[in-house]
Amino acid sequence: MFYLIMKSLGSLIIALLFSVHVLAQLNCKSTGNANGEKIKTCYHANNIISTRETWDKDNRFGKFVGYNNQGKEIFNYSLRNYGGHSSVSVNYYDNGQVSKVYHSDAPDGGIQFYNSTISFDKQGKMTGFDETKNPDILTLPSTVKPQVQLSPNDSAKAKPESIEMECASLKIDYFEIQNGSTSKLKVIINSVPNINYPKKSFSLTLKPSQKVRFDSILSAQNHLSKALYKPEVISIGKKQKKKKYKLVATTEENKTLNTKNWYWVIVND
């Protein structure tokens, strides 16, 4: 009898623990909107959004955004299933906070790739960042100083100094384009040759006033100093071909959030 009671109690405890785990992982809702976009939203235990994943109606381009339990954005990735892939996989704490997010980005064909992993504590504070990429260039973090060879006499005089290691600050560059004209247009976006980043190409059809964030790049060092992409406008239809368009490029940096937006607007010339 005692054995049966203990066995039943053990099964009940396992079931309860499993249900908590499932609830923590499945506190999500999937919806859609009038534009055919698919949206999956997951929540913290306090019902504030933890992550939101959005895909267009063709499941080609999307976004994955994460927040802490105060609603502050802590990461933002562009996703795609076109021209290669840009994907994200995440792990969560039992309170709904993302514990780790893994990002993989690679063009269609070639040996180029970019991977990154970010870790967070239960309050959404970044605790670790790691990246791998090909091609790769060896760079020294700003906190690393070259060693100087001292003579025996100088070494005896030298006093030990405390070494303070600083965590690199995560930088995010966003790339967006908006159709500011009154016509439906096609845009071809090719990356500018850069040994640090894989070659990419995007083909977008934009309705009037439509804006698309087509890529994002994370770095533990600095923002990009030059534009990584060069868009080209292609008219659709005979009427549009008679019109001329130009691209107005701007950048906006937010030092508080460590973000930089590279932004193009298509206007009538």
Side-chain angles (χ1 to χ4, degrees):
M1 178 63 70
F2 177 77
Y3 171 77
L4 292 176
I5 293 174
M6 292 303 295
K7 183 178 180 180
S8 299
L9 183 59
S11 299
L12 178 61
I13 292 173
I14 292 173
L16 287 173
L17 290 174
F18 179 74
S19 64
V20 171
H21 175 74
V22 171
L23 288 172
Q25 298 297 325
L26 299 182
N27 189 17
C28 305
K29 295 181 181 179
S30 297
T31 58
N33 59 26
N35 295 325
E37 291 181 328
K38 296 171 283 292
I39 305 169
K40 182 179 179 181
T41 308
C42 299
Y43 297 87
H44 290 276
N46 61 0
N47 291 324
I48 290 179
I49 294 175
S50 175
T51 59
R52 174 169 285 163
E53 181 179 359
T54 306
W55 285 94
D56 62 22
K57 64 178 182 179
D58 299 318
N59 206 45
R60 299 176 78 185
F61 295 96
K63 288 195 301 182
F64 192 87
V65 187
Y67 306 86
N68 64 15
N69 59 7
Q70 301 300 313
K72 180 181 177 181
E73 182 178 308
I74 56 176
F75 60 81
N76 189 317
Y77 294 92
S78 293
L79 308 175
R80 75 180 189 281
N81 288 318
Y82 177 79
H85 79 275
S86 178
S87 59
V88 167
S89 60
V90 294
N91 295 330
Y92 295 85
Y93 290 110
D94 55 4
N95 66 352
Q97 173 63 55
V98 171
S99 62
K100 185 177 293 185
V101 55
Y102 173 78
H103 174 227
S104 175
D105 192 327
D108 189 9
I111 61 173
Q112 302 94 340
F113 68 85
Y114 177 87
N115 300 325
S116 68
T117 303
I118 310 176
S119 302
F120 300 92
D121 63 16
K122 285 194 170 185
Q123 284 69 49
K125 182 180 179 180
M126 187 178 72
T127 57
F129 175 78
D130 182 61
E131 65 177 358
T132 58
K133 57 188 175 183
N134 186 50
D136 190 19
I137 290 182
L138 178 62
T139 56
L140 291 176
S142 58
T143 55
V144 178
K145 297 180 180 180
Q147 295 183 352
V148 179
Q149 197 72 24
L150 299 177
S151 65
N153 292 333
D154 291 334
S155 298
K157 297 178 183 178
K159 296 181 180 180
E161 297 181 357
S162 61
I163 300 175
E164 182 179 352
M165 297 300 292
E166 299 179 2
C167 292
S169 179
L170 181 66
K171 309 288 185 180
I172 308 178
D173 285 64
Y174 296 124
F175 303 90
E176 300 178 340
I177 189 165
Q178 182 173 14
N179 184 1
S181 74
T182 56
S183 304
K184 185 177 180 180
L185 299 171
K186 183 177 181 180
V187 183
I188 303 296
I189 306 171
N190 292 312
S191 60
V192 178
N194 190 313
I195 194 172
N196 289 308
Y197 302 97
K199 182 179 180 181
K200 298 181 186 179
S201 180
F202 303 93
S203 177
L204 307 174
T205 300
L206 302 177
K207 299 178 182 178
S209 300
Q210 184 179 3
K211 180 169 70 173
V212 172
R213 177 179 290 175
F214 59 89
D215 200 8
S216 63
I217 291 179
L218 290 94
S219 175
Q221 298 174 5
N222 300 310
H223 289 296
L224 292 170
S225 59
K226 295 182 180 180
L228 187 62
Y229 291 101
K230 184 177 181 180
E232 179 184 357
V233 180
I234 300 176
S235 304
I236 299 177
K238 295 181 179 179
K239 293 182 179 180
Q240 284 81 1
K241 288 183 179 180
K242 296 180 181 180
K243 300 179 181 179
K244 293 184 178 180
Y245 304 94
K246 65 179 180 180
L247 286 156
V248 179
T250 59
T251 59
E252 180 180 354
E253 186 172 349
N254 188 322
K255 294 184 178 180
T256 302
L257 298 177
N258 288 333
T259 62
K260 185 174 182 179
N261 277 27
W262 300 81
Y263 185 61
W264 291 269
V265 181
I266 305 169
V267 296
N268 294 321
D269 193 358

